[in-house]
Amino acid sequence: MFIKCLVVGALQTNAYIVGCPVKKTAAVIDPGAESERILGQLTAAGLTTYCILLTHGHYDHIGGLAELRRATRAPVAVHFADAVLLTDVGANLSLNFGRGSAPGPPERELKHGDIIEIGDERLEVYHAPGHTPGGVCFAGPGVVFTGDTLFAGSIGRTDFPGGDFRELIESCKKLLHLPDETIVYPGHGPASSIGEERVHNPFLTTDW
């Protein structure tokens, strides 16, 4: 599996290119900004965009979506509970940045257990509410893309509309059934591993 992380935008969002080296197709996860840079990396890797996947619908994760979608004509997939965030500038927090960005409804609404096939690679959808009602993680062999659910040593915020602290804790704990060596690729900050978070993340070692 080809994985490339690009840190984009004012809030330093991790956008990921996840590709199949055999079939030369890729998914872009959370194009928060700098769509031209993402496109350049796709071209450099010789990959065609198969789909655009969103861990959730907040502006810092969808800010580059409209341009990327226009350039690639790739379908957009987001959990059904966050689909409204792609059309509501208040709900997706873009008004907080003075942008009022609404890239439009997704082509596919995801649910827990869905499988995303990217050439010969597969990602499974884990519904992970708490940061947003429709937050998801994408798990593949040895990796999990956690968006703003689980960070290295921390978890996502729950003080935005639709956030729920206890839901987020439960969502994070459900990820702990993954093998310890699973690499955690979060929406912000450095990568980690499930084993590292199981032992050292204070939000997961505390009995709430």
Side-chain angles (χ1 to χ4, degrees):
M1 181 183 289
F2 173 93
I3 298 174
K4 176 72 174 180
C5 176
L6 294 87
V7 181
V8 301
L11 295 186
Q12 300 287 278
T13 301
N14 293 335
Y16 295 97
I17 297 172
V18 182
C20 171
V22 176
K23 300 293 177 62
K24 298 295 183 182
T25 60
V28 176
I29 299 177
D30 290 353
E34 303 179 46
S35 58
E36 288 188 3
R37 184 173 160 220
I38 295 171
L39 288 165
Q41 290 293 323
L42 287 160
T43 300
L47 297 170
T48 300
T49 308
Y50 170 73
C51 62
I52 302 170
L53 305 177
L54 305 176
T55 60
H56 64 291
H58 281 161
Y59 175 70
D60 58 321
H61 291 254
I62 66 170
L65 173 58
E67 291 180 5
L68 188 67
R69 175 196 249 170
R70 190 180 308 116
T72 64
R73 299 186 180 180
V76 174
V78 67
H79 189 273
F80 66 83
D82 265 22
V84 65
L85 273 64
L86 302 191
T87 59
D88 186 327
V89 296
N92 67 29
L93 308 181
S94 61
L95 287 180
N96 294 16
F97 297 86
R99 300 293 177 89
S101 176
E107 281 74 27
R108 179 176 177 182
E109 295 188 359
L110 301 172
K111 63 182 185 303
H112 181 78
D114 281 352
I115 300 296
I116 309 293
E117 294 186 353
I118 310 161
D120 295 335
E121 308 292 349
R122 290 160 59 92
L123 296 176
E124 183 176 356
V125 177
Y126 283 61
H127 185 209
H131 181 64
T132 64
V136 298
C137 301
F138 298 106
V143 300
V144 60
F145 300 90
T146 57
D148 286 4
T149 296
L150 177 64
F151 299 132
S154 190
I155 61 173
R157 294 175 61 167
T158 57
D159 56 335
F160 294 127
D164 187 299
F165 178 78
R166 293 195 177 278
E167 270 196 333
L168 187 59
I169 292 294
E170 289 305 310
S171 293
C172 290
K173 287 185 174 179
K174 287 176 183 177
L175 296 175
L176 297 183
H177 83 279
L178 294 169
D180 280 352
E181 62 270 19
T182 303
I183 300 172
V184 174
Y185 289 108
H188 302 270
S192 183
S193 71
I194 290 295
E196 178 72 16
E197 298 313 303
R198 187 193 310 280
V199 174
H200 296 296
N201 190 313
F203 292 94
L204 302 183
T205 57
T206 300
D207 185 7
W208 298 100

